[in-house]
Amino acid sequence: MRVSVFTEPHRGASYDDQLRFARLVEAGGYEGFLRADHYQSMGADPGLPGPTDAWLTLAALARETERIRLGTLVTSATFRLPGPLAVMVAQVDQMSGGRVELGIGAGWYEREHTSYGIPFPAVGERFDRLAEQLEVITGLWGTPSGETYSFAGDHYRLVDAPALPKPVQVPGPPIIVGGRGPKRTPDLAARYATEFNMPFKSVAETATAYDRVRQACDRAGRVESGRAPLVLSAGIVVAIGRTDAEAQLRAAPLHEKSALPPEDPVVGSPGQLVQRLGEFAEIGATRVHLRMTDLADLDHLELIAAEVLPQLDGDR
Protein backbone atom coordinates (compact mmCIF):
# COMPACT_ATOMS: atom_id res chain seq x y z
CA MET A 1 0.00 0.00 0.00
CA ARG A 2 1.36 3.40 -1.03
CA VAL A 3 0.63 6.05 1.61
CA SER A 4 0.58 9.78 0.95
CA VAL A 5 -0.49 12.66 3.15
CA PHE A 6 -3.25 15.05 2.13
CA THR A 7 -3.58 18.49 3.70
CA GLU A 8 -6.03 21.39 3.60
CA PRO A 9 -4.07 24.63 3.97
CA HIS A 10 -7.25 26.68 3.52
CA ARG A 11 -8.09 25.71 7.11
CA GLY A 12 -5.17 27.92 8.18
CA ALA A 13 -1.54 27.42 7.18
CA SER A 14 1.24 29.60 5.85
CA TYR A 15 3.76 28.45 3.26
CA ASP A 16 6.29 27.92 6.05
CA ASP A 17 3.80 25.66 7.85
CA GLN A 18 3.42 23.58 4.71
CA LEU A 19 7.16 23.42 4.09
CA ARG A 20 7.81 22.16 7.62
CA PHE A 21 5.08 19.56 7.23
CA ALA A 22 6.25 18.41 3.77
CA ARG A 23 9.81 17.98 4.97
CA LEU A 24 8.59 15.77 7.80
CA VAL A 25 6.43 13.81 5.35
CA GLU A 26 9.60 13.11 3.39
CA ALA A 27 11.66 12.25 6.46
CA GLY A 28 8.91 9.97 7.79
CA GLY A 29 8.88 7.69 4.75
CA TYR A 30 5.52 8.65 3.26
CA GLU A 31 5.19 8.51 -0.51
CA GLY A 32 3.85 11.97 -1.12
CA PHE A 33 2.44 15.31 -0.01
CA LEU A 34 -0.75 16.40 -1.73
CA ARG A 35 -2.80 19.46 -0.89
CA ALA A 36 -6.25 20.83 -1.55
CA ASP A 37 -6.76 23.64 -4.05
CA HIS A 38 -9.14 26.04 -2.31
CA TYR A 39 -9.16 29.79 -1.78
CA GLN A 40 -11.39 29.88 1.30
CA SER A 41 -12.14 27.94 4.45
CA MET A 42 -15.39 26.01 4.63
CA GLY A 43 -16.66 27.01 8.05
CA ALA A 44 -16.88 30.07 10.26
CA ASP A 45 -13.13 30.06 10.97
CA PRO A 46 -11.44 32.35 8.39
CA GLY A 47 -8.39 30.08 8.17
CA LEU A 48 -5.76 32.65 9.08
CA PRO A 49 -3.36 33.74 7.68
CA GLY A 50 -5.44 33.14 4.54
CA PRO A 51 -5.20 31.05 1.39
CA THR A 52 -2.03 29.98 -0.38
CA ASP A 53 -2.17 29.13 -4.07
CA ALA A 54 -1.74 25.40 -4.64
CA TRP A 55 0.58 25.53 -7.64
CA LEU A 56 2.73 28.38 -6.31
CA THR A 57 3.15 26.35 -3.12
CA LEU A 58 3.97 23.12 -4.96
CA ALA A 59 6.54 24.90 -7.13
CA ALA A 60 8.33 26.09 -4.03
CA LEU A 61 8.11 22.68 -2.35
CA ALA A 62 9.51 21.09 -5.51
CA ARG A 63 12.80 22.91 -4.82
CA GLU A 64 12.78 22.17 -1.09
CA THR A 65 12.18 18.41 -1.22
CA GLU A 66 13.99 15.57 -2.94
CA ARG A 67 11.91 12.38 -2.97
CA ILE A 68 8.21 12.74 -2.22
CA ARG A 69 5.48 13.01 -4.81
CA LEU A 70 3.75 16.40 -4.93
CA GLY A 71 0.28 17.20 -6.19
CA THR A 72 -3.28 18.42 -5.77
CA LEU A 73 -6.45 16.76 -4.54
CA VAL A 74 -7.89 18.42 -6.44
CA THR A 75 -7.35 21.44 -8.64
CA SER A 76 -10.66 23.01 -9.65
CA ALA A 77 -11.17 23.31 -13.39
CA THR A 78 -12.93 26.63 -12.76
CA PHE A 79 -9.79 28.28 -11.39
CA ARG A 80 -7.41 28.18 -14.37
CA LEU A 81 -7.51 27.96 -18.16
CA PRO A 82 -6.31 24.58 -19.42
CA GLY A 83 -3.42 25.87 -21.54
CA PRO A 84 -1.75 27.88 -18.77
CA LEU A 85 -2.49 25.06 -16.29
CA ALA A 86 -0.65 22.60 -18.54
CA VAL A 87 2.30 25.00 -18.60
CA MET A 88 2.26 25.40 -14.79
CA VAL A 89 2.15 21.70 -14.05
CA ALA A 90 4.83 20.88 -16.64
CA GLN A 91 7.10 23.54 -15.16
CA VAL A 92 6.62 22.28 -11.60
CA ASP A 93 7.29 18.76 -12.88
CA GLN A 94 10.61 20.01 -14.25
CA MET A 95 11.37 21.84 -11.00
CA SER A 96 10.75 18.65 -9.01
CA GLY A 97 12.64 16.32 -11.29
CA GLY A 98 9.47 14.49 -12.31
CA ARG A 99 7.56 14.13 -9.02
CA VAL A 100 4.30 15.97 -9.76
CA GLU A 101 0.74 14.66 -10.01
CA LEU A 102 -2.30 16.60 -11.19
CA GLY A 103 -5.52 15.88 -9.36
CA ILE A 104 -8.30 17.78 -11.13
CA GLY A 105 -12.06 18.08 -10.69
CA ALA A 106 -15.02 20.14 -11.83
CA GLY A 107 -15.11 22.42 -8.77
CA TRP A 108 -17.94 22.53 -6.24
CA TYR A 109 -17.51 25.17 -3.54
CA GLU A 110 -19.54 28.13 -4.74
CA ARG A 111 -18.68 30.50 -1.86
CA GLU A 112 -15.00 30.79 -2.75
CA HIS A 113 -15.89 31.54 -6.37
CA THR A 114 -18.24 34.31 -5.33
CA SER A 115 -15.70 35.74 -2.88
CA TYR A 116 -12.92 36.00 -5.44
CA GLY A 117 -14.90 36.80 -8.58
CA ILE A 118 -14.42 33.41 -10.23
CA PRO A 119 -17.25 32.33 -12.58
CA PHE A 120 -19.22 29.37 -11.25
CA PRO A 121 -21.43 27.86 -13.97
CA ALA A 122 -24.01 25.15 -13.43
CA VAL A 123 -22.77 21.66 -12.63
CA GLY A 124 -23.35 20.31 -16.15
CA GLU A 125 -21.22 23.04 -17.69
CA ARG A 126 -18.53 22.57 -15.04
CA PHE A 127 -18.20 18.92 -16.03
CA ASP A 128 -18.18 19.86 -19.72
CA ARG A 129 -15.33 22.25 -19.01
CA LEU A 130 -13.49 19.60 -17.00
CA ALA A 131 -13.73 17.14 -19.91
CA GLU A 132 -12.32 19.72 -22.31
CA GLN A 133 -9.56 20.65 -19.88
CA LEU A 134 -8.48 17.02 -19.61
CA GLU A 135 -8.45 16.74 -23.41
CA VAL A 136 -6.40 19.92 -23.78
CA ILE A 137 -3.90 19.18 -21.01
CA THR A 138 -3.17 15.64 -22.15
CA GLY A 139 -3.09 16.82 -25.75
CA LEU A 140 -0.52 19.52 -25.04
CA TRP A 141 1.70 17.18 -23.03
CA GLY A 142 1.43 14.43 -25.65
CA THR A 143 2.23 16.59 -28.68
CA PRO A 144 5.70 15.69 -30.03
CA SER A 145 8.35 18.36 -29.69
CA GLY A 146 8.48 20.58 -32.74
CA GLU A 147 4.79 20.12 -33.51
CA THR A 148 1.83 22.28 -32.55
CA TYR A 149 -1.49 21.49 -30.92
CA SER A 150 -4.93 22.85 -31.78
CA PHE A 151 -8.30 22.24 -30.17
CA ALA A 152 -11.81 23.51 -30.84
CA GLY A 153 -14.35 22.84 -28.10
CA ASP A 154 -17.48 24.48 -26.78
CA HIS A 155 -15.58 26.29 -24.01
CA TYR A 156 -11.89 26.42 -25.05
CA ARG A 157 -10.14 26.99 -28.36
CA LEU A 158 -6.40 26.62 -28.95
CA VAL A 159 -4.74 27.40 -32.28
CA ASP A 160 -1.22 26.18 -33.09
CA ALA A 161 -0.06 26.03 -29.48
CA PRO A 162 3.66 25.17 -29.33
CA ALA A 163 2.84 22.63 -26.59
CA LEU A 164 5.74 23.70 -24.42
CA PRO A 165 7.28 23.25 -21.91
CA LYS A 166 7.40 19.48 -21.76
CA PRO A 167 7.08 17.77 -18.38
CA VAL A 168 9.80 15.39 -17.25
CA GLN A 169 7.35 12.51 -16.93
CA VAL A 170 6.26 10.97 -20.23
CA PRO A 171 3.63 11.25 -21.59
CA GLY A 172 2.90 13.59 -18.67
CA PRO A 173 2.43 13.75 -14.92
CA PRO A 174 -0.08 11.25 -13.52
CA ILE A 175 -3.63 12.60 -13.56
CA ILE A 176 -5.96 11.86 -10.64
CA VAL A 177 -9.71 12.05 -11.21
CA GLY A 178 -12.04 11.16 -8.42
CA GLY A 179 -15.24 11.82 -6.59
CA ARG A 180 -18.62 10.42 -5.72
CA GLY A 181 -20.35 11.10 -9.04
CA PRO A 182 -21.90 7.94 -10.53
CA LYS A 183 -21.70 8.75 -14.27
CA ARG A 184 -19.41 11.38 -15.68
CA THR A 185 -16.63 11.04 -13.09
CA PRO A 186 -16.00 7.31 -13.80
CA ASP A 187 -16.11 7.93 -17.56
CA LEU A 188 -13.60 10.79 -17.36
CA ALA A 189 -11.33 8.73 -15.12
CA ALA A 190 -11.43 5.83 -17.58
CA ARG A 191 -10.56 8.08 -20.51
CA TYR A 192 -7.94 10.39 -19.06
CA ALA A 193 -6.74 9.45 -15.58
CA THR A 194 -3.86 7.46 -14.18
CA GLU A 195 -5.60 7.16 -10.81
CA PHE A 196 -9.19 7.14 -9.61
CA ASN A 197 -9.66 8.41 -6.06
CA MET A 198 -12.69 7.93 -3.83
CA PRO A 199 -12.41 10.55 -1.08
CA PHE A 200 -13.19 9.95 2.58
CA LYS A 201 -16.09 7.47 2.35
CA SER A 202 -16.70 4.04 3.83
CA VAL A 203 -15.11 0.89 2.47
CA ALA A 204 -18.48 -0.26 1.12
CA GLU A 205 -19.17 3.05 -0.67
CA THR A 206 -15.64 3.03 -2.05
CA ALA A 207 -16.05 -0.53 -3.35
CA THR A 208 -19.21 0.53 -5.20
CA ALA A 209 -17.36 3.47 -6.77
CA TYR A 210 -14.52 1.15 -7.83
CA ASP A 211 -17.03 -1.15 -9.53
CA ARG A 212 -18.45 1.81 -11.45
CA VAL A 213 -15.04 2.95 -12.63
CA ARG A 214 -14.03 -0.60 -13.64
CA GLN A 215 -17.18 -0.79 -15.77
CA ALA A 216 -16.33 2.59 -17.30
CA CYS A 217 -12.85 1.29 -18.17
CA ASP A 218 -14.42 -1.72 -19.87
CA ARG A 219 -16.74 0.52 -21.89
CA ALA A 220 -13.81 2.71 -22.92
CA GLY A 221 -11.71 -0.30 -23.93
CA ARG A 222 -8.90 0.91 -21.73
CA VAL A 223 -7.08 -2.41 -21.46
CA GLU A 224 -7.64 -3.30 -25.12
CA SER A 225 -6.06 0.00 -26.16
CA GLY A 226 -2.89 -0.91 -24.26
CA ARG A 227 -3.25 1.63 -21.48
CA ALA A 228 -2.23 0.73 -17.95
CA PRO A 229 -5.03 -0.20 -15.53
CA LEU A 230 -6.27 2.61 -13.33
CA VAL A 231 -4.67 2.97 -9.93
CA LEU A 232 -7.48 2.79 -7.37
CA SER A 233 -6.96 4.99 -4.32
CA ALA A 234 -8.92 6.03 -1.26
CA GLY A 235 -8.90 9.11 0.91
CA ILE A 236 -9.09 8.55 4.66
CA VAL A 237 -9.67 11.20 7.30
CA VAL A 238 -7.49 10.23 10.27
CA ALA A 239 -7.34 11.20 13.93
CA ILE A 240 -4.89 8.73 15.45
CA GLY A 241 -3.59 8.78 19.02
CA ARG A 242 -1.60 6.76 21.50
CA THR A 243 -4.64 6.94 23.76
CA ASP A 244 -8.34 7.36 23.07
CA ALA A 245 -8.25 10.82 24.63
CA GLU A 246 -5.48 11.89 22.27
CA ALA A 247 -7.39 10.54 19.26
CA GLN A 248 -10.59 12.30 20.33
CA LEU A 249 -8.71 15.58 20.75
CA ARG A 250 -7.46 15.29 17.18
CA ALA A 251 -10.97 14.44 16.01
CA ALA A 252 -12.53 17.57 17.54
CA PRO A 253 -12.26 19.67 14.34
CA LEU A 254 -14.18 16.98 12.46
CA HIS A 255 -17.30 17.87 14.45
CA GLU A 256 -17.30 21.53 13.41
CA LYS A 257 -19.94 22.68 10.95
CA SER A 258 -18.59 22.60 7.41
CA ALA A 259 -19.68 22.64 3.77
CA LEU A 260 -18.06 19.22 3.31
CA PRO A 261 -20.31 16.18 2.81
CA PRO A 262 -20.40 13.42 5.47
CA GLU A 263 -17.19 11.42 5.82
CA ASP A 264 -16.05 8.15 7.39
CA PRO A 265 -12.97 8.96 9.50
CA VAL A 266 -10.69 6.60 11.37
CA VAL A 267 -10.56 7.87 14.95
CA GLY A 268 -8.55 5.70 17.29
CA SER A 269 -5.31 3.76 17.53
CA PRO A 270 -2.59 3.05 14.95
CA GLY A 271 -3.89 -0.52 14.85
CA GLN A 272 -7.32 0.68 13.78
CA LEU A 273 -5.78 2.57 10.88
CA VAL A 274 -3.78 -0.51 9.85
CA GLN A 275 -7.03 -2.49 9.87
CA ARG A 276 -8.79 0.09 7.67
CA LEU A 277 -5.89 0.09 5.23
CA GLY A 278 -6.20 -3.69 5.00
CA GLU A 279 -9.91 -3.39 4.26
CA PHE A 280 -9.23 -0.94 1.44
CA ALA A 281 -6.53 -3.23 0.06
CA GLU A 282 -9.05 -6.09 -0.07
CA ILE A 283 -11.33 -4.12 -2.42
CA GLY A 284 -8.48 -3.19 -4.76
CA ALA A 285 -6.97 0.02 -3.42
CA THR A 286 -3.22 0.22 -3.84
CA ARG A 287 -2.81 3.79 -2.61
CA VAL A 288 -4.30 5.89 0.17
CA HIS A 289 -4.20 9.61 0.95
CA LEU A 290 -4.41 10.29 4.69
CA ARG A 291 -6.10 13.59 5.45
CA MET A 292 -4.56 15.27 8.47
CA THR A 293 -6.47 18.30 9.67
CA ASP A 294 -3.84 20.25 11.61
CA LEU A 295 -0.57 21.09 9.83
CA ALA A 296 0.89 22.23 13.14
CA ASP A 297 0.39 18.76 14.64
CA LEU A 298 3.71 17.23 13.64
CA ASP A 299 3.39 14.57 16.33
CA HIS A 300 0.39 13.10 14.50
CA LEU A 301 2.47 12.73 11.37
CA GLU A 302 5.36 11.15 13.27
CA LEU A 303 3.08 8.74 15.15
CA ILE A 304 1.65 7.27 11.95
CA ALA A 305 5.10 7.12 10.38
CA ALA A 306 6.46 5.22 13.37
CA GLU A 307 3.58 2.86 14.16
CA VAL A 308 1.60 2.39 10.93
CA LEU A 309 3.95 2.61 7.95
CA PRO A 310 6.30 -0.16 9.16
CA GLN A 311 3.35 -2.58 9.20
CA LEU A 312 2.62 -2.13 5.50
CA ASP A 313 4.10 -4.09 2.62
CA GLY A 314 5.54 -2.61 -0.54
CA ASP A 315 6.41 0.98 -1.43
CA ARG A 316 5.17 3.67 0.94
Side-chain angles (χ1 to χ4, degrees):
M1 181 70 74
R2 300 157 54 200
V3 181
S4 292
V5 173
F6 168 65
T7 64
E8 297 179 316
H10 56 273
R11 289 176 178 266
S14 67
Y15 169 72
D16 287 338
D17 295 330
Q18 294 171 75
L19 173 60
R20 182 171 55 251
F21 204 81
R23 283 175 168 166
L24 195 56
V25 167
E26 186 161 79
Y30 296 90
E31 184 197 35
F33 172 93
L34 291 91
R35 57 154 286 168
D37 187 9
H38 284 292
Y39 290 127
Q40 197 165 359
S41 65
M42 295 174 188
D45 189 326
L48 297 176
T52 52
D53 182 84
W55 286 102
L56 282 175
T57 299
L58 293 172
L61 294 178
R63 307 303 291 178
E64 299 284 357
T65 57
E66 297 180 356
R67 179 190 57 80
I68 51 173
R69 307 291 299 175
L70 299 167
T72 50
L73 277 179
V74 293
T75 281
S76 174
T78 56
F79 287 172
R80 303 169 185 87
L81 297 172
L85 178 59
V87 171
M88 288 181 209
V89 179
Q91 182 178 356
V92 180
D93 198 48
Q94 290 182 356
M95 294 168 71
S96 70
R99 295 184 284 123
V100 160
E101 306 184 20
L102 171 62
I104 186 168
W108 65 273
Y109 189 34
E110 185 173 6
R111 189 177 78 162
E112 66 187 334
H113 292 75
T114 302
S115 294
Y116 286 98
I118 302 169
F120 188 73
V123 63
E125 181 179 331
R126 297 202 306 276
F127 270 94
D128 291 342
R129 288 178 177 271
L130 172 61
E132 289 191 15
Q133 289 216 355
L134 287 163
E135 180 70 29
V136 168
I137 291 166
T138 56
L140 287 168
W141 289 343
T143 298
S145 295
E147 298 184 15
T148 60
Y149 174 81
S150 297
F151 175 82
D154 293 332
H155 303 285
Y156 306 105
R157 186 168 185 264
L158 288 74
V159 179
D160 296 334
L164 297 171
K166 294 300 182 193
V168 172
Q169 299 175 89
V170 178
I175 291 176
I176 305 170
V177 170
R180 305 166 184 85
K183 296 180 180 179
R184 298 196 69 178
T185 297
D187 288 340
L188 291 174
R191 290 177 59 193
Y192 296 106
T194 309
E195 174 179 331
F196 171 79
N197 176 257
M198 182 61 166
F200 318 126
K201 304 301 283 186
S202 70
V203 175
E205 291 171 295
T206 302
T208 299
Y210 288 174
D211 287 341
R212 286 196 296 261
V213 82
R214 289 187 184 106
Q215 293 167 14
C217 287
D218 290 342
R219 290 193 300 271
R222 184 179 176 109
V223 175
E224 290 80 1
S225 66
R227 297 184 62 198
L230 266 178
V231 172
L232 299 177
S233 70
I236 309 176
V237 181
V238 293
I240 304 302
R242 296 172 184 84
T243 65
D244 184 64
E246 186 176 77
Q248 292 299 327
L249 183 63
R250 289 188 167 122
L254 306 181
H255 304 301
E256 297 173 0
K257 187 176 180 180
S258 169
L260 290 169
E263 300 166 333
D264 187 37
V266 177
V267 179
S269 68
Q272 287 173 272
L273 178 55
V274 172
Q275 180 179 344
R276 180 70 64 87
L277 294 175
E279 292 168 354
F280 276 118
E282 288 178 0
I283 64 169
T286 58
R287 189 184 196 192
V288 294
H289 304 282
L290 305 181
R291 193 182 96 198
M292 299 186 186
T293 302
D294 185 359
L295 275 85
D297 188 359
L298 303 182
D299 180 67
H300 195 194
L301 192 64
E302 292 178 319
L303 173 62
I304 295 173
E307 299 195 22
V308 174
L309 298 190
Q311 299 188 55
L312 307 179
D313 295 328
D315 293 336
R316 295 197 293 271

